Amino acid sequence: MTERHLALYVRVSTEEQAASGHSLREQEEQLVEYARSHGFPRYELYCDDGYSGKSLNRPAMERLRADIRAGCVLGVVTTRIDRLTRSVADFARLVDEMNLHGVFYRSTRQNFEISTAMGRLVAQMLSVIAEFEREMIAERVHENLLAMAQRGELATKPPFGYRLVNGRLTPDPREARWVREGARLLLTGASPRDVAMEFNALGVRTKTGRLWTDRTVRTLFSNPALAGVSVWNRRKTQGSRRTEREPTEWVCVEGAHEAILSREEFEALRGMLERRRALSPRSQGSKRPLAGIARCGFCGSAMYAGWQVSKRGHERQKRPIYRCGRYVTGGGCTPNQVDASALEMLVVEELLRRVRPELEPVVSAYRAHAASNELRTVQRKRRVALARLSRLAEAYASGVVSEEAFSREQVRLLRVLEACREAEAQAAALSTTDGWDAWVRELCARLAGDPHLERALFLTVVREVRVFRPKRSREVDVDLVLRLE
């Protein structure tokens, strides 16, 4: 049987050490002295540096509890009860575990026994006081941070796009333009990896002079500072790790400094990044517009974006495709494979068909207004050209203009009149059904020629595309699940 040892537990949070100076070294010296003076030759130190006492999720505490359950611990000693925990519920749980495994507890500054009813009562009262003290410390820290933040005194390390001027964040003109360019790329469908590659290729570096990665791009464009919102107390140090606090502990100040992006742009960016993170890792950096969105209509698994290679003569040809992921990995589904360009065009057409009842009146009104403005401009231009042509004929008849100059100017004005007639016909066609269909075809062609824009549209509007293509069939059917449904 393993010989049991005395557990010496020490803990200090960053706020407590700064406020009281009760350091780990002082605690350790007191506990080692206690072990030696009370005749415990075997003891082991359990140290949680920079961890709050509001929960038991601490590395050394978890190791201590595991040793207690394993029967390796004879007793637990701390300098004060609040070193163990500042939660009444957690203290009651620890007392039950210690009593269950025959482990005693001692506090070098507070004398009581948890094995007796009176000792447990005293311990419970002390734990209530410790929890109250923790809440008071948290309130004071939050109030002080908020007051300092409102005065603009907390800015330390500026994010990319900013610099410190008299202790306040001020946009850096050289970096701010790259922030706007990166936001534009992300909002038009580029992935964080695409933005990182673009920045690295153009010689743009991070604040620390390193290359950009998809992670640093996501971190930058998730920072509310870009929208003029300063956030402090967002992260904390636990040992050697930096972790994020609960949002209720953040200190946020609106309008603390000049914004690089508008609030609407920042919210759109954050939504786009969150939707990308919801995709599978395989699809997050894909350039195919439907990667991570298209799913097999038969088995429900993701459709993989890939290539089909064919050989014609001595040349190899590649065409983009989507195919059922379960079929690719040998899961037993049908070979649900479709041409990527055809599927993307089909989804755009289906999306326009779904939203046409709501979209057509707005678009028709806009197009009618645009057509009337265009028509008035063209008619004015045509009247000016006719008047100039008339004056030119009079000048030629009077001998003021030579025949060569007359011919040259006449040809130019006739070309202007021909262009005006064509523009009038196009403006008149905008309000007709054929004009609407032509506009839809132009929109589809533009989206097909810009995969980034098409992916941005799908990520914003479409939650899922279910693809059905029966075996040996050329017909493809899709079922769209929109985010607004």
Side-chain angles (χ1 to χ4, degrees), residues 392 395-397 399-411:
L392 180 66
Y396 177 67
V400 176
V401 178
S402 66
E403 182 177 357
E404 181 182 357
F406 170 77
S407 300
R408 185 171 62 252
E409 185 65 13
Q410 183 185 40
V411 170

Side-chain angles (χ1 to χ4, degrees), residues 173-281:
R174 184 180 62 84
E175 295 180 355
R177 73 183 187 94
W178 291 114
V179 172
R180 298 187 184 98
E181 176 64 14
R184 185 192 67 80
L185 291 173
L186 290 171
L187 289 174
T188 53
S191 68
R193 184 177 295 275
D194 294 332
V195 175
M197 293 175 65
E198 180 81 7
F199 282 5
N200 293 335
L202 294 174
V204 183
R205 296 295 182 262
T206 66
K207 277 287 189 183
T208 57
R210 298 179 180 179
L211 294 175
W212 290 89
T213 65
D214 52 349
R215 182 175 181 179
T216 53
V217 170
R218 283 196 302 268
T219 301
L220 170 63
F221 289 100
S222 299
N223 191 344
L226 300 181
V229 181
S230 292
V231 180
W232 287 280
N233 205 42
R234 183 175 180 177
R235 295 181 176 85
K236 60 183 176 181
T237 302
Q238 291 187 333
S240 60
R241 297 184 299 114
R242 291 277 289 171
T243 59
E244 193 165 278
R245 299 179 187 270
E246 295 293 329
T248 55
E249 300 181 37
W250 297 359
V251 178
C252 302
V253 179
E254 298 276 351
H257 54 267
E258 183 182 346
I260 296 178
L261 304 177
S262 68
R263 194 59 185 262
E264 293 74 18
E265 288 176 321
F266 178 73
E267 293 298 332
L269 271 173
R270 186 163 63 178
M272 183 72 70
L273 292 173
E274 288 177 355
R275 286 190 288 273
R276 279 190 174 274
R277 287 182 67 86
L279 301 176
S280 64

Side-chain angles (χ1 to χ4, degrees), residues 16 19 48 55 94 101 167 221 245 249-250 313 324 330 336 342 347 359 377 392:
E16 291 170 334
D48 277 320
S55 75
L94 289 174
H101 295 88
F221 289 100
R245 299 179 187 270
E249 300 181 37
W250 297 359
C324 173
N336 192 11
V347 171
L359 185 64
T377 302
L392 180 66

Side-chain angles (χ1 to χ4, degrees), residues 462-480:
V462 182
R463 185 183 303 277
E464 185 177 295
V465 177
R466 298 166 186 161
V467 184
F468 301 87
R469 185 189 178 188
K471 192 175 182 180
R472 298 188 180 87
S473 174
R474 293 187 177 182
E475 295 184 0
V476 180
D477 190 19
V478 296
D479 182 16
L480 268 62

